[in-house]
Amino acid sequence: MSRALREAFHREYMTFFERAERTRRWNLFTDIPWDELPASAPNEQLAQCAETFCGVEMFLPDYLSAHLDAVGGNYGQAWFAANWGYEESKHSLVLREYLHRSGQRTEQQLFDFADDVLARTWTRPYAEGRQMVVYGAIQELTTFVIYRKQRELALRAGDHVLAEIYRLIGRDEMAHARFYQRMIELHLDTDRPGTLLDLAHVLRTFRMPAEDVLPDYEARIAVMRTAGIDSGVFLREVVFPSLGAVGLTRHDLPGPRERAAVDSELRHRKAAVT
Ligand SMILES: [Fe+2]
Ligand SMILES: [Fe+2]
């Protein structure tokens, strides 16, 4: 990666970090209205979803090592990974606390669940750092859309505490998505054809993290449908807004024939350089 791009990432990270420090920090112990947890019967469907998302967030050690593998001497990206890891670490913790403090799971059940989750391994889905940036943008925005839906469901069920938790963690996910979008823009400025190829490739093959590795995932699928992310929602609320945020529409993405042409041109260029 060129020095100019590394410096641009660093400047972008400083903007992200300043905003995070000034406007987005929240405290798991003091900012959640724990004493307002509903006394009425727990809503098992919401609890199942909270537990599932807690599990997805729990693959943090694997996500972090994927981040750090992709850093390659890039200062801005490394510091982003550290800060991102801190923010994400609170997401599984706050959902875990919710499940415990609301009496819907015992401490023992939660330890068993963590053991089950951490016995599995998530591996990064793309080899290239730039593809992982695109993946990050899509994954973070998808997570934001999921949490927004869960927040609505929690409000409807009268669980304001869970709704507030989803509001706070959803706001973090949106900030992460925006950071990745800025990185995509910087990549587009540096190598537009290659970045467009990576965008097309990741959008074609994207899967949510941990879908395959969560314990009892099959059993969770029915409940997870309440998350409401079908392919139409994914296109409307994740793919098109992500493209729009970086100044593109789907018509800018290379189709199969163009992909092959750009691919061979890039290979050509690479061969000429080496
Ligand atoms: Fe998260
Ligand atoms: Fe995130």
Side-chain angles (χ1 to χ4, degrees):
M1 184 181 291
S2 72
R3 180 172 171 146
L5 192 54
R6 288 202 309 272
E7 289 180 4
F9 279 175
H10 169 76
R11 281 191 289 275
E12 209 47 60
Y13 173 67
M14 285 305 283
T15 307
F16 166 88
F17 184 52
E18 182 179 6
R19 241 177 246 160
E21 294 284 84
R22 284 188 196 278
T23 65
R24 206 160 46 72
R25 291 291 172 242
W26 57 272
N27 185 315
L28 186 156
F29 304 98
T30 55
D31 288 333
I32 312 292
W34 294 117
D35 49 358
E36 292 169 28
L37 276 168
S40 58
N43 180 329
E44 180 51 27
Q45 193 161 343
L46 282 176
Q48 271 264 346
C49 285
E51 186 183 64
T52 302
F53 300 126
C54 179
V56 176
E57 298 272 5
M58 251 185 229
F59 285 94
L60 182 63
D62 293 339
Y63 301 148
L64 266 178
S65 58
H67 255 295
L68 294 171
D69 275 356
V71 162
N74 183 331
Y75 175 84
Q77 233 171 309
W79 262 245
F80 174 73
N83 181 83
W84 175 90
Y86 158 71
E87 294 184 6
E88 295 291 353
S89 76
K90 293 193 297 184
H91 296 176
S92 56
L93 279 182
V94 73
L95 289 169
R96 185 188 193 284
E97 279 299 299
Y98 165 79
L99 289 164
H100 185 233
R101 293 190 193 212
S102 63
Q104 298 180 88
R105 297 289 185 274
T106 64
E107 190 78 6
Q108 214 44 57
Q109 285 173 320
L110 289 164
F111 278 127
D112 289 347
F113 182 62
D115 280 352
D116 259 9
V117 170
L118 291 176
R120 293 144 203 268
T121 311
W122 175 85
T123 42
R124 58 187 281 188
Y126 301 99
E128 296 293 324
R130 190 170 58 194
Q131 292 172 346
M132 285 303 288
V133 167
V134 175
Y135 171 78
I138 301 302
Q139 180 266 318
E140 297 284 357
L141 193 56
T142 307
T143 313
F144 167 81
V145 170
I146 287 174
Y147 287 158
R148 189 184 58 198
K149 180 76 193 270
Q150 290 299 309
R151 178 170 180 248
E152 285 163 17
L153 293 172
L155 281 174
R156 228 177 287 160
D159 191 338
H160 293 277
V161 178
L162 185 58
E164 178 62 3
I165 289 171
Y166 282 129
R167 186 184 73 80
L168 289 169
I169 61 183
R171 193 177 64 178
D172 286 349
E173 310 298 14
M174 178 56 96
H176 300 161
R178 290 213 170 110
F179 179 75
Y180 282 120
Q181 288 164 359
R182 282 294 301 137
M183 304 236 295
I184 293 174
E185 285 184 295
L186 294 171
H187 275 302
L188 280 167
D189 291 345
T190 310
D191 173 11
R192 191 175 172 89
T195 307
L196 287 175
L197 269 184
D198 284 344
L199 265 164
H201 175 60
V202 173
L203 289 175
R204 264 200 335 272
T205 51
F206 177 82
R207 284 172 70 80
M208 270 302 277
E211 266 188 17
D212 307 311
V213 282
L214 266 188
D216 315 317
Y217 190 74
E218 288 300 314
R220 294 175 187 281
I221 282 180
V223 176
M224 290 276 289
R225 289 216 174 94
T226 63
I229 302 283
D230 57 23
S231 54
V233 172
F234 180 64
L235 279 176
R236 259 193 331 274
E237 298 191 30
V238 178
V239 174
F240 297 155
S242 297
L243 290 173
V246 299
L248 298 172
T249 72
R250 65 194 145 136
H251 304 296
D252 293 306
L253 294 180
R257 202 180 297 164
E258 278 170 286
R259 277 204 301 274
V262 179
D263 214 13
S264 93
E265 142 121 39
L266 286 175
R267 263 204 304 272
H268 228 77
R269 251 195 260 167
K270 212 168 169 185
V273 171
T274 49

